[in-house]
Amino acid sequence: MINGVLLVNKPQGPTSHDAVEVVRHKLGMRRIGHAGTLDPMAQGLLLLLIGSATKHQQRFQGHDKVYDAVVQLGTQTDTGDATGALVQTAPVPALERHHVAEVLASFQGALSQTPPAYSAVKVRGRPAYWWTRRHQPVVLASRTVQIAELSLVELASSRLTVRVRCSSGTYVRTLAEAIAQRLGCVGHL
């Protein structure tokens, strides 16, 4: 019996559940879970809990997360990320580094955020994205998240690279759309 934490660099493409299934198959074990969910398009550290370590899932999930994210300005998608269908375009205003930094700083602290329709939040036993894909969108309750840091890493004419340190449960896709809105346009992750 194997017990412990496996650190996985999840590539873009597979879901967090896909990563769990690969490890279950390789180890021949069923008792494996993940501490937090990464979107399929996200690459990064995924903590897999194996055997008796699964009982500590809540403890691991509660920690702050750090993301490096690219916000594409001028286009909005139905999913809030680059995998979605285009729903709106808008001109991107001229961006000055100090103004963008001020806008990003305005998000720090407690923030009310509604999970996106294409999220894994469970509604009546199924993830919200299941309902949305069947054209039966559900109303998701907003939640309070904490943004400890939101800083500008790189600025291009229509693209921002930002570093986000936030509480568990924060949707960076939703944050990207809100950043674009405060900058006077639309955007997606």
Side-chain angles (χ1 to χ4, degrees):
M1 184 71 149
I2 299 172
N3 300 294
V5 179
L6 181 63
L7 307 178
V8 174
N9 183 12
K10 186 193 87 58
Q12 288 184 339
T15 66
S16 297
H17 181 72
D18 293 339
V20 168
E21 285 302 312
V22 167
V23 174
R24 280 179 178 159
H25 177 73
K26 295 271 187 197
L27 297 179
M29 295 178 65
R30 293 291 314 149
R31 197 167 173 203
I32 299 175
H34 55 85
T37 301
L38 287 174
D39 285 342
M41 100 171 226
Q43 173 191 339
L45 178 64
L46 182 66
L47 301 180
L48 298 188
L49 307 174
I50 301 171
S52 63
T54 57
K55 64 185 169 190
H56 302 290
Q57 182 182 28
Q58 291 297 325
R59 192 177 301 163
F60 281 105
Q61 276 186 213
H63 291 285
D64 283 358
K65 316 293 189 225
V66 178
Y67 301 98
D68 285 339
V70 177
V71 181
Q72 178 63 54
L73 301 172
T75 54
Q76 183 179 14
T77 67
D78 60 352
T79 60
D81 63 26
T83 66
L86 181 67
V87 293
Q88 186 178 1
T89 62
V92 178
L95 301 173
E96 295 183 23
R97 190 171 190 84
H98 75 278
H99 174 67
V100 173
E102 287 174 0
V103 167
L104 296 177
S106 73
F107 284 95
Q108 289 181 323
L111 178 68
S112 179
Q113 190 180 66
T114 302
Y118 286 93
S119 70
V121 172
K122 294 285 198 277
V123 178
R124 298 192 300 273
R126 300 209 183 254
Y129 65 76
W130 187 90
W131 299 100
T132 303
R133 288 181 182 150
R134 285 157 181 78
H135 305 288
Q136 301 174 27
V138 291
V139 176
L140 299 172
S142 65
R143 55 176 73 172
T144 300
V145 297
Q146 293 289 327
I147 307 297
E149 175 191 353
L150 182 55
S151 58
L152 183 61
V153 175
E154 187 177 339
L155 173 63
S157 60
S158 64
R159 184 176 281 198
L160 313 173
T161 302
V162 298
R163 175 151 301 130
V164 184
R165 189 166 48 93
C166 56
S167 63
S168 180
T170 302
Y171 282 89
V172 180
R173 288 180 284 155
T174 302
L175 183 60
E177 290 178 324
I179 291 167
Q181 185 178 26
R182 286 198 191 167
L183 289 171
C185 60
V186 296
H188 68 272
L189 187 64

